[in-house]
Amino acid sequence: MGHRGAKKRHRAIKIYGVWSLLVVLVNLAAGVIPGLGDWYIRRVFPVWVNTYGRLMDLFPFSVGEWMLAVGVGLVCAALGLGLFSLVWGLRSPAGFPRWIRRFYVFFAWTLLAVCTVMTLNCSLLYRASTFSEQYFPEARKTHTLEELIELRNLVVEQCNTLAREMERDGEGAVVYHGDAREMQEAAIRAMRRLGQSYAQLDGYYPHPKPFFASDFFSQQYMQGYYFPFSMEANYNDVMYIMNKPDTFCHELAHLRGYIYEDEANFISFLACVQSGDPLFVYSGYLAVLNYLDNDFYRAVGEDREAYLAQPQISPLVRKDNIFLTDQEWERINGRALLDTETVDQVSDVLRDTSLKAFGVSDGVLSYNRVVQLLLEWYYG
């Protein structure tokens, strides 16, 4: 029995080693073989979306969010048992209990499965051609200050006009008469419509799902998240309504292989403004307003007079250009177990680190590159 057990362990170690090596080799190959990432997104990645993604769409809740919670629990258990095992080993020469060894075997296989899924549903996507390379190959990469001002002013004027057209409640908040499912369906229609112009965006989309822990994600200033482990587009359900259409489309863009945040920002902008739905159109323009306005302000050297010489953002737009309402912030901070500022700082570090680990050198600042894409599109 002991001999057979040793053979099984040896075979499992060999399988683990080969599997781990394959994961490493696939990541390396995607970085050095031209076109491999593009081929993968065209031929293989849609298979996961159309099968596993469809399966996860059957669940009315975010499966990925609970996977994340379980993962955090496993890591905490591994650290706790590691400390326990260290103390046990110092006190007992008999070795660790069998159940602890079995837990770490399970943990090791789980970790390898996570690395595999991250490779297939995330890291390989970073090795593909960008949206600009695919669809704007001839576009100019440099633009003048005048062009930036023109585009910024266009977006400001669109926001000012659309803000006046929105139906509002007694407190001035934008009103949407549909339910969450109707808005999710509208986002899917907007993305499919965009897929008629950009082939990679054509195909199946699962429904965006709300976070169960939206309050905690609000403390991280997180509007949405693409879960590679469950092929789901998730969103913050307590953020102000004008953030939702854009966030839905942004996270759905990741499910078509566009993993860079600036590209997802740009794609969601296009999907919203071409949707034909006034709420979505306004959300699309509002989502890029700060990027353009901030770039313009920096471009004129933070010259207040030069800034004020251009069309100004209306008070109504500024009222809509928020993450959460004051009432939601008060409710969340009143019930939070951890300080929001601390949670936000830790979240920023983790997001910045994870983006840089995937080769995004400017980390969270990469979101700002949407301005370049907007200029290429507008003047292309």
Side-chain angles (χ1 to χ4, degrees):
M1 183 68 181
H3 180 66
R4 284 202 301 270
K7 286 183 68 176
K8 285 177 64 177
R9 286 195 297 273
H10 182 67
R11 185 163 56 249
I13 291 171
K14 285 178 65 176
I15 294 172
Y16 193 93
V18 171
W19 186 349
S20 301
L21 181 61
L22 283 174
V23 171
V24 172
L25 290 176
V26 167
N27 278 281
L28 292 175
V32 298
I33 300 177
L36 181 58
D38 293 333
W39 175 86
Y40 175 79
I41 289 175
R42 285 196 310 271
R43 303 296 182 186
V44 182
F45 186 65
V47 174
W48 313 141
V49 180
N50 282 300
T51 54
Y52 187 52
R54 284 181 187 272
L55 175 63
M56 292 297 103
D57 197 34
L58 297 176
F59 294 88
F61 56 89
S62 170
V63 179
E65 184 179 10
W66 290 104
M67 285 181 173
L68 183 62
V70 170
V72 171
L74 283 175
V75 170
C76 291
L79 293 175
L81 284 175
L83 182 60
F84 172 78
S85 299
L86 179 62
V87 174
W88 180 282
L90 292 175
R91 292 184 175 182
S92 173
F96 304 133
R98 180 178 296 179
W99 66 270
I100 291 183
R101 293 198 298 269
R102 286 179 174 175
F103 170 82
Y104 278 108
V105 169
F106 168 76
F107 183 80
W109 282 103
T110 301
L111 186 61
L112 180 57
V114 167
C115 292
T116 303
V117 172
M118 286 298 292
T119 294
L120 297 175
N121 295 345
C122 191
S123 64
L124 283 177
L125 309 185
Y126 281 101
R127 305 303 182 185
S129 300
T130 65
F131 190 92
S132 180
E133 289 169 342
Q134 288 178 307
Y135 298 111
F136 306 146
E138 305 299 326
R140 286 187 291 120
K141 302 303 178 184
T142 58
H143 294 84
T144 65
L145 174 60
E146 288 71 24
E147 289 173 329
L148 173 62
I149 291 174
E150 180 183 2
L151 181 56
R152 176 263 180 194
N153 290 349
L154 168 68
V155 171
V156 168
E157 289 163 358
Q158 288 288 339
C159 286
N160 289 346
T161 300
L162 289 162
R164 293 192 298 269
E165 296 175 357
M166 294 293 107
E167 183 179 349
R168 298 177 183 272
D169 61 18
E171 296 181 353
V174 172
V175 172
Y176 178 69
H177 290 292
D179 59 20
R181 189 69 170 190
E182 290 175 294
M183 187 180 287
Q184 294 162 14
E185 294 281 1
I188 291 172
R189 288 196 300 272
M191 292 298 291
R192 286 177 175 165
R193 182 174 184 174
L194 194 62
Q196 296 173 11
S197 300
Y198 305 101
Q200 190 172 312
L201 293 171
D202 189 28
Y204 168 76
Y205 288 94
H207 292 83
K209 296 179 181 179
F211 291 125
F212 174 78
S214 285
D215 286 2
F216 180 64
F217 283 105
S218 293
Q219 290 185 279
Q220 303 173 53
Y221 289 82
M222 187 175 290
Q223 295 183 347
Y225 196 83
Y226 157 62
F227 279 109
F229 310 108
S230 58
M231 304 298 290
E232 291 175 309
N234 289 244
Y235 66 91
N236 185 329
D237 201 30
V238 301
M239 63 183 174
Y240 185 54
I241 190 171
M242 290 315 307
N243 296 308
K244 290 183 178 179
D246 167 74
T247 299
F248 289 2
C249 295
H250 175 110
E251 302 306 331
L252 289 175
H254 290 319
L255 284 157
R256 301 313 305 172
Y258 292 107
I259 198 67
Y260 288 100
E261 298 299 340
D262 57 315
E263 293 183 319
N265 280 343
F266 176 66
I267 291 167
S268 65
F269 164 79
L270 288 182
C272 286
V273 301
Q274 296 179 19
S275 68
D277 183 322
L279 185 80
F280 273 69
V281 175
Y282 184 27
S283 179
Y285 280 113
L286 200 61
V288 299
L289 176 63
N290 284 347
Y291 295 115
L292 286 162
D293 194 53
N294 291 340
D295 270 20
F296 162 59
Y297 189 55
R298 286 192 293 266
V300 294
E302 300 183 5
D303 184 335
R304 189 68 180 166
E305 290 186 6
Y307 178 81
L308 292 175
Q310 302 301 324
Q312 294 302 294
I313 300 168
S314 74
L316 202 54
V317 172
R318 293 192 182 279
K319 181 180 179 65
D320 292 330
N321 194 18
I322 58 173
F323 175 46
L324 294 180
T325 63
D326 291 340
Q327 293 88 342
E328 288 292 352
W329 272 127
E330 184 176 352
R331 180 186 63 79
I332 290 170
N333 288 327
R335 298 165 57 179
L337 296 176
L338 299 172
D339 177 66
T340 294
E341 185 176 351
T342 302
V343 173
D344 181 42
Q345 289 175 348
V346 173
S347 173
D348 280 348
V349 171
L350 292 175
R351 268 184 288 181
D352 192 62
T353 302
S354 65
L355 285 169
K356 289 178 178 177
F358 285 115
V360 184
S361 59
D362 48 355
V364 293
L365 295 178
S366 63
Y367 287 76
N368 299 324
R369 293 203 301 262
V370 68
V371 173
Q372 175 64 31
L373 286 167
L374 288 166
L375 288 166
E376 290 179 22
W377 165 75
Y378 187 70
Y379 290 102

